[in-house]
Amino acid sequence: MHLPRPKPPRRRDDRIILHFDYDCFYAQVVENRQPALKSLPLGIKQKSILATCNYVARRRGVTKLMGISDAKKICPDLVLVDGEDLSTFRDVSKKLYHLLRSYSWNGKIERLGLDEVFLDVTDIVAYNVELLNPHALDQSFFCLSKLDPELGFSYDATAIAGCTHGSPPPADQRDEDFSMYLRLLAASHLARYLRLKIEEEGYTSACGISSNKVLSKLVGTVNKPRDQTAFLAFREEDIWSFMDAHNLRRIPGIGNRISSVLEAHILAAAPDPNFRSFEATVSAGRVRTHPDMSAPVLEKLLGGPGAEKGIGEKVWCLLHGVDNSPIKAASDIPTQISIEDTYQGLNDMAEIDRQLRLLSASLLRRMYIDLVEEVVENSASPQPSSTKRKRWLAHPKTIRLTTRPYFRADSGKPYNYARVSRSQQLPNFVFSFASAREVLVDKLVDEVLLPMFRGLNPATKDWNVGLLNVCVANMVVVGGENGGIGGGRDIGAMFRRQEDVLREFRVYDDDDGVDGVDEMRVDGTGDDAERDEEDSDAEPWEEDDRDGLECCARCGHLIPGFALIAHERYHDLEPV
Ligand code: TTP
Ligand code: MG
């Protein structure tokens, strides 16, 4: 007997989302600094792998995340440039982000990593669709400002700009489909305009245009590099068949743990705890159409202690191309700042101490860059003059130390990617502008980080430290001119209040930050609200601070932690 198929989730079509992905991003940054490299095959090297390579190299068979020696075999004249210092990439990324942000009316813009940006353009598109004159569509004008009707560009609204995936609704189709079509059409012209603006800064990109994040991101990869794709799907079935064709692991939001559990369920096998690959052996469609699949079944398979709330419903929706997650309004204040490095098994306390000081110095430097601004104060009398003073834009409430043991590929043991963390309130002395930075670093290490390290690693020797991560999070925005230290607010009282709220907790995170939320494990000593606050808002920008090295279990190469899964994919593509 066949059970009735569960109801598919309801789709919302009221938004228009653009997803930008810069082409071979690190390579373009390097090429813009050294234009002579543009015509040569170029690889950006991080330790022993290519973080990326330009399209000249790709045409010669070189791929992203390939090992350097293999790439050199395929393309002996490959030019290699070191890409381990992320600061220039970060600067360009911020510049382009601010450029895109300057066109947003609602401020809803989100960065993903260093080279992807989501932009919710629902309002600007709706406004421009209203302006369309059906009798002169080919002479339309896209208005970029409500206040200045001359600010904008001319466009031909009889056709979509760039590529399309799917087809326009038939002329006799329901009105709402036609209205959606017009909104996608207007958005496609805006996307092209914005891509050209980015090109004026020297960067080509791909763009996906659809009604939610998952669809925009996936459809944007259909035509790349230097192109854009609007997703014309008006029937549920069209969206499902688009989603179904993707490898399960390629669906944003479906991480390694989720895909290995689902794959095992579909194949009726036991999940492999060491499974780490960029590809699953099943397609998204195979999971979606599996006879017993439904949101409650997914919840049973994927839920449990430490799992994201409502994970079953979330994955069920994603499999159907439904993603109601909002694009949050932009903030200049990062949600967390995290610095880490990896080591080949530190056992010497003097060395651990030294590394904690280096990480703390970087952390304070980043805190000053991201969270401190200079305010110019004018005084009128007796002599008009202006003075500059510094103020904190936000105070992080929490400091977190994370460690992980070193893993040796040749140890014969399963890959151990369990991180342990300890959090506590960040002492307010770090916000002092009067003390020298080195003094603050020493105080932070001696009074906070070393005791935390000992708490996390109670043994007196043999710590075998493979990773140290120091992170500040839970930003409290400091309001107004009087909010800074010395500005009259009782910061001490504020932190004393927070003490009641903050409790120490441990997090067991069995992933390297690639999938973030859905890979988390908590041992139950912290409550859910606190954990959500700590981890669900991991700042995508900070992913790239995770530039420490991991050991590939297959070849033993040391590669950046966040590149590990993609690096595994490279192995998967190797001829047997
Ligand atoms: P991607 O967008 O994956 O790659 P890309 O921009 O280089 O190429 P494409 O044209 O296919 O979009 O990643 C953005 C940048 O992030 C990339 O230039 C290098 C860096 N990166 C790493 O350093 N390690 C990684 O594992 C990945 C996936 C990216
Ligand atoms: Mg890219």
Side-chain angles (χ1 to χ4, degrees):
M1 189 187 77
H2 278 291
L3 292 172
R5 288 291 300 159
K7 267 203 174 144
R10 264 188 78 79
R11 186 163 59 97
R12 268 179 51 188
D13 265 349
D14 53 344
R15 294 180 300 160
I16 297 286
I17 309 293
L18 306 183
H19 172 261
F20 295 89
D21 180 343
Y22 312 133
D23 301 329
C24 56
F25 181 53
Y26 289 8
Q28 284 205 81
V29 174
V30 170
E31 286 174 354
N32 279 323
R33 272 193 319 209
Q34 301 174 62
L37 294 177
K38 284 190 184 182
S39 55
L40 303 175
L42 170 67
I44 307 302
K45 174 166 101 68
Q46 281 179 345
K47 307 290 190 269
S48 57
I49 62 157
L50 293 179
T52 192
C53 52
N54 68 2
Y55 279 82
V56 180
R58 292 188 202 189
R59 281 193 285 277
R60 302 268 300 270
V62 180
T63 58
K64 294 192 273 191
L65 303 161
M66 196 178 238
I68 303 285
S69 49
D70 293 340
K72 273 285 194 190
K73 262 184 233 152
I74 295 172
C75 179
D77 52 334
L78 182 71
V79 179
L80 290 172
V81 172
D82 197 279
E84 290 196 21
D85 177 2
L86 301 182
S87 46
T88 329
F89 307 135
R90 198 180 278 126
D91 288 349
V92 173
S93 175
K94 280 192 181 173
K95 185 174 81 173
L96 298 180
Y97 163 79
H98 282 288
L99 173 78
L100 287 172
R101 187 173 157 180
S102 69
Y103 287 94
S104 174
W105 288 4
N106 54 22
K108 292 181 185 171
I109 177 165
E110 260 176 37
R111 298 166 287 206
L112 186 61
L114 288 189
D115 90 325
E116 294 177 43
V117 176
F118 287 104
L119 198 58
D120 181 331
V121 292
T122 309
D123 52 354
I124 187 166
V125 162
Y127 183 84
N128 278 281
V129 167
E130 281 292 307
L131 292 183
L132 285 175
N133 173 357
H135 306 293
L137 285 177
D138 58 336
Q139 290 160 40
S140 300
F141 184 79
F142 198 105
C143 217
L144 291 168
S145 162
K146 276 186 197 168
L147 303 176
D148 179 356
E150 286 181 22
L151 198 66
F153 56 90
S154 306
Y155 71 110
D156 176 0
T158 60
I160 295 236
C163 308
T164 55
H165 187 80
S167 352
D172 59 350
Q173 196 84 312
R174 291 170 305 158
D175 283 357
E176 64 211 64
D177 287 349
F178 197 69
S179 130
M180 179 66 181
Y181 173 71
L182 277 186
R183 290 189 296 130
L184 288 168
L185 183 148
S188 72
H189 287 273
L190 175 61
R192 180 158 69 187
Y193 179 84
L194 294 176
R195 285 183 44 246
L196 288 174
K197 286 286 156 199
I198 299 170
E199 289 197 15
E200 282 171 20
E201 299 296 319
Y203 293 90
T204 62
S205 62
C207 182
I209 304 146
S210 190
S211 56
N212 67 36
K213 284 163 92 172
V214 75
L215 293 178
S216 303
K217 183 167 159 64
L218 288 176
V219 86
T221 64
V222 174
N223 296 287
K224 64 185 287 192
R226 204 180 181 187
D227 215 330
Q228 60 180 64
T229 312
F231 192 16
L232 304 183
F234 303 97
R235 296 177 319 136
E236 311 273 75
E237 293 76 11
D238 297 338
I239 296 178
W240 300 342
S241 63
F242 174 72
M243 295 302 298
D244 285 356
H246 285 85
N247 185 288
L248 181 63
R249 187 66 186 77
R250 294 292 183 129
I251 310 291
I254 297 192
N256 206 43
R257 183 183 73 87
I258 293 180
S259 64
S260 65
V261 170
L262 295 184
E263 190 167 50
H265 179 76
I266 299 293
L267 304 175
D272 174 359
N274 295 315
F275 174 87
R276 296 175 68 77
S277 169
F278 204 68
E279 301 291 351
T281 48
V282 296
S283 66
R286 213 162 145 204
V287 180
R288 188 183 69 80
T289 56
H290 191 262
D292 78 354
M293 204 45 77
S294 65
V297 168
L298 286 166
E299 185 64 40
K300 213 180 278 172
L301 290 170
L302 304 169
E308 190 186 341
K309 266 189 215 116
I311 185 69
E313 182 64 29
K314 180 186 154 184
V315 171
W316 185 239
C317 284
L318 287 174
L319 291 171
H320 288 83
V322 173
D323 176 9
N324 293 334
S325 58
I327 295 190
K328 292 179 221 110
S331 161
D332 282 329
I333 295 168
T335 51
Q336 64 174 43
I337 297 175
S338 120
I339 304 288
E340 76 179 28
D341 210 341
T342 50
Y343 315 95
Q344 295 184 20
L346 296 183
N347 279 314
D348 175 12
M349 187 39 97
E351 187 53 23
I352 292 169
D353 180 292
R354 197 175 81 82
Q355 292 302 331
L356 285 174
R357 275 168 224 279
L358 288 174
L359 293 172
S360 302
S362 304
L363 181 75
L364 287 188
R365 197 163 47 240
R366 283 287 305 282
M367 282 170 62
Y368 270 67
I369 292 169
D370 290 352
L371 303 178
V372 172
E373 73 167 4
E374 284 207 331
V375 187
V376 180
E377 283 174 340
N378 295 313
S379 78
S381 63
Q383 288 285 307
S385 67
S386 64
T387 51
K388 279 187 187 168
R389 85 178 165 86
K390 294 189 193 118
R391 81 168 194 102
W392 287 92
L393 294 167
H395 292 130
K397 289 192 296 186
T398 310
I399 181 162
R400 180 167 61 208
L401 176 69
T402 303
T403 70
R404 187 184 53 204
Y406 173 58
F407 167 74
R408 284 181 64 96
D410 57 6
S411 65
K413 293 187 190 149
Y415 181 73
N416 178 358
Y417 36 94
R419 294 172 175 226
V420 286
S421 299
R422 190 167 256 221
S423 300
Q424 70 172 62
Q425 152 196 336
L426 179 65
N428 60 356
F429 66 76
V430 297
F431 303 121
S432 162
F433 292 124
S435 314
R437 193 85 59 83
E438 310 80 69
V439 175
L440 297 179
V441 166
D442 287 342
K443 207 164 148 62
L444 188 64
V445 173
D446 295 336
E447 295 180 13
V448 180
L449 290 170
L450 280 173
M452 283 172 102
F453 179 84
R454 291 196 191 97
L456 274 176
N457 300 273
T460 49
K461 57 180 184 153
D462 299 334
W463 298 286
N464 186 33
V465 174
L467 170 135
L468 289 171
N469 173 300
V470 188
C471 166
V472 288
N474 290 347
M475 302 288 172
V476 175
V477 175
V478 178
E481 281 293 83
N482 294 326
I485 294 278
R489 216 191 232 194
D490 184 356
I491 299 291
M494 183 175 98
F495 279 106
R496 283 194 293 280
R497 273 197 305 282
Q498 282 160 10
E499 226 167 340
D500 298 336
V501 181
L502 271 169
R503 256 163 297 145
E504 190 183 275
F505 70 102
R506 273 177 187 229
V507 173
Y508 293 87
D509 181 351
D510 63 0
D511 194 69
D512 301 307
V514 180
D515 299 312
V517 173
D518 58 15
E519 303 290 320
M520 252 234 322
R521 286 282 178 277
V522 174
D523 73 353
T525 52
D527 65 10
D528 277 354
E530 185 174 282
R531 171 162 44 85
D532 284 344
E533 196 183 1
E534 283 285 329
D535 293 282
S536 64
D537 60 0
E539 167 69 313
W541 285 90
E542 307 311 330
E543 294 272 297
D544 291 83
D545 284 325
R546 300 174 174 218
D547 49 3
L549 297 183
E550 301 272 0
C551 191
C552 169
R554 296 207 222 171
C555 66
H557 270 120
L558 289 174
I559 58 170
F562 62 90
L564 194 58
I565 287 181
H567 173 76
E568 296 256 6
R569 181 171 160 250
Y570 152 67
H571 280 302
D572 293 338
L573 297 174
E574 279 177 324
V576 186

